């Protein structure tokens, strides 16, 4: 349970940083005065939406994902970013920019996942 909570906290923090980077690069001009707490809230919302809503949307989008050989997952990731930022107060982004932000956040989550797997393998190696 501790490991799962620590993983969630790490994803939350790094998703917040990823959203900050994406908004700074791609966001509308009105989000220049947002605070760190706004991005932390957006990161929390994104983490929750990503863990609860994304599996359901992915199942419904499975025919399109299969037809496009997986490229439609970029649209699903963009939709998750768009929904998250629509729920977050003070941050806005167009859907096209949300798709690019989804790519950025997917890379962040991939790096986190890879680092956690490597860390887990190192611990198992020392135990054996």
């Amino acid at each position: 349970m501790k490991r799962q909570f620590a993983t969630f906290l790490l994803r939350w923090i790094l998703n917040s940083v990823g959203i900050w980077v994406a908004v700074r690069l791609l966001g509308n001009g009105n989000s220049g005065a947002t605070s760190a707490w706004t991005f932390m809230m957006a990161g929390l919302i994104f983490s929750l939406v990503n863990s609860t809503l994304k599996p359901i949307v992915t199942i419904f989008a499975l025919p399109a994902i299969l037809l496009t050989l997986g490229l439609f997952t970029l649209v699903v990731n963009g939709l998750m970013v768009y929904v998250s930022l629509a729920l977050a107060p003070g941050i806005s982004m167009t859907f096209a920019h949300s798709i690019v932000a989804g790519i950025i956040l997917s890379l962040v989550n991939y790096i986190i996942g890879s680092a956690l797997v490597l860390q887990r393998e190192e611990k198992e190696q020392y135990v054996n």
Side-chain angles (χ1 to χ4, degrees), residues 61-74:
L62 196 58
I65 292 170
L66 292 174
L67 283 174
T68 61
L69 301 175
L71 288 176
F72 197 74
T73 55
L74 297 175

Side-chain angles (χ1 to χ4, degrees), residues 19-126:
I19 289 172
W20 177 77
V21 168
V23 167
R24 292 294 178 231
L25 292 175
L26 307 166
N28 296 339
N30 61 353
S31 57
T34 54
S35 68
W37 290 111
T38 304
F39 288 108
M40 290 300 287
M41 183 61 70
L44 177 63
I45 292 170
F46 177 73
S47 296
L48 293 174
V49 165
N50 216 23
S51 64
T52 56
L53 186 62
K54 185 178 179 181
I56 297 167
V57 172
T58 303
I59 289 171
F60 284 124
L62 196 58
I65 292 170
L66 292 174
L67 283 174
T68 61
L69 301 175
L71 288 176
F72 197 74
T73 55
L74 297 175
V75 176
V76 172
N77 289 338
L79 180 65
M80 295 303 107
V81 172
Y82 188 75
V83 167
S84 299
L85 294 183
L87 294 174
I91 302 175
S92 63
M93 189 179 289
T94 64
F95 185 69
H97 288 156
S98 294
I99 292 175
V100 178
I103 294 170
I104 294 170
L105 290 170
S106 294
L107 290 172
V108 167
N109 281 315
Y110 175 75
I111 292 168
I112 295 168
S114 298
L116 291 175
V117 166
L118 287 174
Q119 182 183 19
R120 198 172 309 136
E121 287 176 358
E122 284 180 5
K123 284 184 180 180
E124 289 174 1
Q125 184 180 18
Y126 288 121

Side-chain angles (χ1 to χ4, degrees), residues 6-25:
T7 301
F8 182 78
L9 281 178
L10 181 64
R11 285 187 191 273
W12 175 19
I13 292 167
L14 292 177
N15 280 333
S16 300
V17 172
I19 289 172
W20 177 77
V21 168
V23 167
R24 292 294 178 231
L25 292 175

